[in-house]
Amino acid sequence: MADHPDDMARASVEASSLRDQLATIKLALAASPVRKYLLWLSVGIVAVIVATSVGQVLLNRWNQPFYDALARRDMQGFLHQLLVFAAIAGTLLVLNVGQTWLNQMIRLKLREALTVDLIGEWMLPARAFRLTHAGAIGVNPDQRIQQDVGHLSDLSTDLGVGLLQSFILLASFIGVLWTLSSGFVFHIGGHSLAIPGYMVWAAILYAGIASWLSWLVGRPLIRFNSDRYSREAELRSSVVRVNENIDAIALAHGEADAKRQLELDLGTVLGAMRRIYHAQINLSWVTDTYGWITVVAPILVASPVYFAGDISFGGLMMAVGAFNQVNASLRWFINNIGAIADWRATLMRVADFRIALGETDVLHDTESRIEFGENPEGRLTFEKLEIASPDGCTKLAEPHVEIGAGERVMITGDPRAGKTLFFRAIAGLWPWGSGRIGMPAKEIPAFVPRTPYFPLGTLREVLNHTGGAAKVDDAEISAVLAEVGLERLSSSLDRSARWEHELSDDEQRLLAFARLALRRPKWVIIDEALDTFDGATLRRVLAMLEKRLAGAAILNIGRGQHNIQFFPRSLTIVKDAGRPALKPASVRAGAIEPPPAVAVRRRKK
């Protein structure tokens, strides 16, 4: 159970399957506006890889006449084969450059498709808010959208193209190798033994054993990589948190504590990296041993036939070349076991994040939902409203409440009664509970939270951020700024800045009320945003609201220390701690749970 009524109980974690993860990515790509571009790029790279494979087959056939010319000391044949090589190599060079361009474009478009999809899913109404209360899967979405998607796009492209290329090369050369080894005859004790496709079976057996050993040793890297990404995200989050609170840290002489916490987070990252490096060293013993043996393996396999005189030196080199091509195709898994583990971990983080975005809409589905409706008579009503929370339920003292257009109502309650929870319920961010909220028909209320949000841009753009309302002219903007005491900002309308950093907390709230006045909504719901103002500032803001929003209904949720003439009606929020707490539902999440230190920090917020 959470320690604060505004904290939702953490959801349980249920890992999704690889099938679910791949289906989720497929769904995201199918709905992407760049899917046709991706399709044509994929067709193009398949064509280039097929053409490259044809060139590789021709290059392998070139081995026999070239080496036979060398064995015969045939200068004319040698020079001719060099010209043939130049033609084949030149064509392959062009194809390789084309494949590189197609590879990069697939990376670019794949990242665009996945990132746009995740941003769209994340920014659906109220989803991002609910996801922050969904447990470990909702931690650090910035890393999943920015870093993990980019990494997944790069790995998917490289591994996908590499696998396709290996498959086509295998299909091209396995027939060549089968044909070359069909004449291999082993002479043992006066007996002759022919094994059809001898070198093909040798290559498959050789690569199969190495692949099995590589997977056995490298499989833990999936878990270790996922763990590392979680720890890296926590470290970055801690650095950002320290940077954003550096003033308070300096004033409290808290540098030592901040340093200690950053070092603890760094320690978890280094521990995760240490586990990865240990696993990679173990894997290197397998892959490097296999790599060195591969230098002589095809010659060892074909040497009995060569020494028996059944093939020429050129034929041996041609068979060795074909064996190497088949073996290179079969060893794709061995060469990429580390990258595959990394891809698997990154896929799990991205896909599970998208799965959670959809499932967060049904989070706490064991609880009843507040009914939302519209009142055609244009009134705001609360009918037996009870808002579920982890430590009870929040409700109004009066079971039936009606608020008419133009009314001004003060809504108060004890410090832990759940005033912000009530505000979120009206806004539709917190739908868990019972009863009904009836909104005035065809009206979109303006919600004013304690901490305002300002989009990036000029001050004029910030003040014109009015939910689709018509833009206002500079004269009216300047007049409203003067009414709230921010006249000094009138000369900064064309300046772009991060206003939440440039203005004090009270100035940010004053700017939010100025924006509210320019928007001119008919219904306004405020969450404790007036509570921090001193007497003179509060009177100035109320006078501005009286002038600019004379006919608007204004509900102020706060401590109740405001002008009763402006808010003649009052309601009370109460907490019924005896009601059952909100129960968590399951959200699938393959992400590693954060370390205990992270959970402790969350509870202290």
Side-chain angles (χ1 to χ4, degrees):
M1 183 178 295
D3 294 303
H4 191 278
D6 286 350
D7 292 333
M8 186 183 294
R10 297 297 175 190
S12 60
V13 177
E14 175 190 343
S16 63
S17 65
L18 176 60
R19 173 190 285 184
D20 289 337
Q21 293 162 10
L22 292 176
T24 298
I25 298 301
K26 179 181 177 181
L27 181 64
L29 295 178
S32 173
V34 301
R35 61 186 182 280
K36 291 184 178 179
Y37 202 100
L38 269 172
L39 179 61
W40 282 112
L41 287 172
S42 301
V43 170
I45 204 164
V46 169
V48 169
I49 290 175
V50 169
T52 301
S53 298
V54 172
Q56 293 284 1
V57 171
L58 293 176
L59 188 62
N60 183 69
R61 290 179 181 174
W62 168 86
N63 280 323
Q64 182 171 7
F66 177 73
Y67 284 107
D68 283 343
L70 281 175
R72 297 191 307 268
R73 294 182 173 83
D74 181 359
M75 176 61 71
Q76 184 176 358
F78 172 76
L79 294 176
H80 173 72
Q81 292 304 319
L82 286 180
L83 292 176
V84 174
F85 173 80
I88 296 174
T91 302
L92 288 175
L93 175 63
V94 173
L95 291 172
N96 288 339
V97 172
Q99 181 176 329
T100 300
W101 180 84
L102 289 167
N103 185 299
Q104 300 297 337
M105 292 304 299
I106 289 175
R107 286 188 185 192
L108 182 67
K109 291 302 178 181
L110 186 59
R111 180 169 186 180
E112 177 184 351
L114 293 178
T115 304
V116 169
D117 174 77
L118 279 187
I119 291 174
E121 293 290 312
W122 189 44
M123 285 291 100
L124 286 176
R127 264 196 183 174
F129 167 80
R130 293 171 187 169
L131 188 69
T132 60
H133 300 279
I137 194 67
V139 176
N140 300 312
D142 55 308
Q143 185 190 39
R144 296 179 188 261
I145 293 175
Q146 184 265 327
Q147 182 176 322
D148 290 344
V149 169
H151 195 44
L152 179 64
S153 300
D154 290 346
L155 288 173
S156 297
T157 303
D158 290 342
L159 291 173
V161 171
L163 179 60
L164 176 65
Q165 192 164 18
S166 296
F167 178 78
I168 293 176
L169 280 174
L170 178 63
S172 301
F173 278 95
I174 200 166
V176 174
L177 187 61
W178 185 283
T179 302
L180 288 173
S181 59
S182 62
F184 283 15
V185 179
F186 296 90
H187 304 284
I188 305 172
H191 299 281
S192 298
L193 176 65
I195 303 176
Y198 159 69
M199 293 196 72
V200 173
W201 300 118
I204 292 174
L205 180 63
Y206 180 60
I209 293 173
S211 297
W212 177 74
L213 288 174
S214 298
W215 176 246
L216 193 66
V217 176
R219 187 176 182 180
L221 282 168
I222 297 174
R223 184 175 70 258
F224 294 158
N225 278 311
S226 181
D227 180 59
R228 177 190 174 180
Y229 294 142
S230 296
R231 306 298 182 247
E232 293 276 13
E234 289 297 332
L235 175 60
R236 186 175 66 247
S237 177
S238 294
V239 173
V240 171
R241 184 166 54 251
V242 169
N243 184 60
E244 290 180 344
N245 295 279
I246 199 65
D247 292 353
I249 291 173
L251 291 172
H253 303 289
E255 288 87 353
D257 289 337
K259 177 175 176 288
R260 189 179 306 111
Q261 186 58 63
L262 291 174
E263 288 175 346
L264 286 174
D265 288 336
L266 175 61
T268 64
V269 172
L270 296 178
M273 293 175 66
R274 194 174 292 112
R275 288 188 291 272
I276 290 174
Y277 295 158
H278 181 71
Q280 288 176 337
I281 290 171
N282 291 337
L283 182 61
S284 293
W285 282 106
V286 176
T287 57
D288 290 354
T289 300
Y290 176 75
W292 282 111
I293 294 175
T294 302
V295 174
V296 296
I299 296 178
L300 290 175
V301 170
S303 59
V305 181
Y306 174 72
F307 286 116
D310 292 334
I311 57 172
S312 66
F313 180 69
L316 172 67
M317 298 309 297
M318 185 176 176
V320 168
F323 182 94
N324 284 332
Q325 289 288 0
V326 171
N327 180 63
S329 301
L330 291 172
R331 66 174 285 173
W332 173 88
F333 182 83
I334 305 161
N335 291 339
N336 292 283
I337 182 64
I340 291 171
D342 194 7
W343 172 81
R344 185 71 179 84
T346 310
L347 172 68
M348 180 171 61
R349 287 179 58 80
V350 173
D352 283 349
F353 180 70
R354 193 183 190 279
I355 290 171
L357 285 172
E359 293 191 349
T360 193
D361 290 341
V362 293
L363 185 64
H364 297 281
D365 50 10
T366 60
E367 294 292 318
S368 61
R369 301 271 180 139
I370 298 169
E371 179 186 352
F372 288 85
E374 289 190 349
N375 295 323
E377 65 275 14
R379 302 175 71 83
L380 176 62
T381 59
F382 303 104
E383 300 290 339
K384 298 181 180 180
L385 177 63
E386 293 185 346
I387 305 162
S389 65
D391 56 354
C393 77
T394 294
K395 61 183 180 180
L396 290 171
E398 303 175 32
H400 304 281
V401 174
E402 288 190 8
I403 300 173
E407 281 196 71
R408 295 170 185 168
V409 183
M410 184 71 206
I411 303 176
T412 63
D414 292 337
R416 297 185 66 82
K419 294 187 290 294
T420 295
L421 195 66
F422 184 78
F423 174 80
R424 290 172 175 174
I426 301 174
L429 296 179
W430 193 281
W432 300 286
S434 61
R436 182 181 186 274
I437 297 177
M439 305 298 289
K442 299 181 181 179
E443 295 292 343
I444 301 177
F447 293 92
V448 184
R450 285 176 291 180
T451 303
Y453 164 71
F454 302 119
L456 295 175
T458 65
L459 184 60
R460 179 183 288 104
E461 291 170 340
V462 168
L463 290 171
N464 275 316
H465 185 69
T466 54
K471 292 185 178 181
V472 294
D473 57 36
D474 290 358
E476 187 173 1
I477 291 176
S478 298
V480 171
L481 289 175
E483 289 171 13
V484 296
L486 295 177
E487 54 272 356
R488 67 180 180 84
L489 296 179
S490 296
S491 60
S492 301
L493 295 181
D494 291 316
R495 186 162 65 89
S496 182
R498 294 191 62 179
W499 299 102
E500 70 275 15
H501 290 171
E502 294 221 354
L503 303 177
S504 68
D505 290 345
D506 275 356
E507 286 177 327
Q508 291 179 48
R509 293 187 180 96
L510 289 172
L511 188 63
F513 279 108
R515 181 173 60 186
L516 180 70
L518 293 170
R519 178 177 174 179
R520 299 183 183 277
K522 294 182 179 180
W523 288 83
V524 179
I525 301 172
I526 304 170
D527 178 31
E528 299 183 338
L530 294 172
D531 288 350
T532 61
F533 294 144
D534 58 30
T537 303
L538 177 59
R539 287 191 293 272
R540 185 185 301 118
V541 172
L542 293 180
M544 185 271 294
L545 294 176
E546 180 74 51
K547 175 182 177 182
R548 299 281 177 175
L549 304 178
I554 302 177
L555 281 69
N556 181 41
I557 304 170
R559 293 196 297 263
Q561 301 173 356
H562 306 321
N563 191 325
I564 61 173
Q565 294 180 345
F566 192 88
F567 296 105
R569 183 180 177 186
S570 65
L571 299 171
T572 303
I573 296 174
V574 295
K575 172 61 67 69
D576 185 354
R579 296 299 298 274
L582 189 65
K583 301 175 183 177
S586 295
V587 171
R588 284 181 291 180
I592 301 297
E593 284 286 355
V598 176
V600 170
R601 287 203 305 274
R602 287 202 195 110
R603 289 197 293 270
K604 290 182 178 178
K605 285 185 180 179

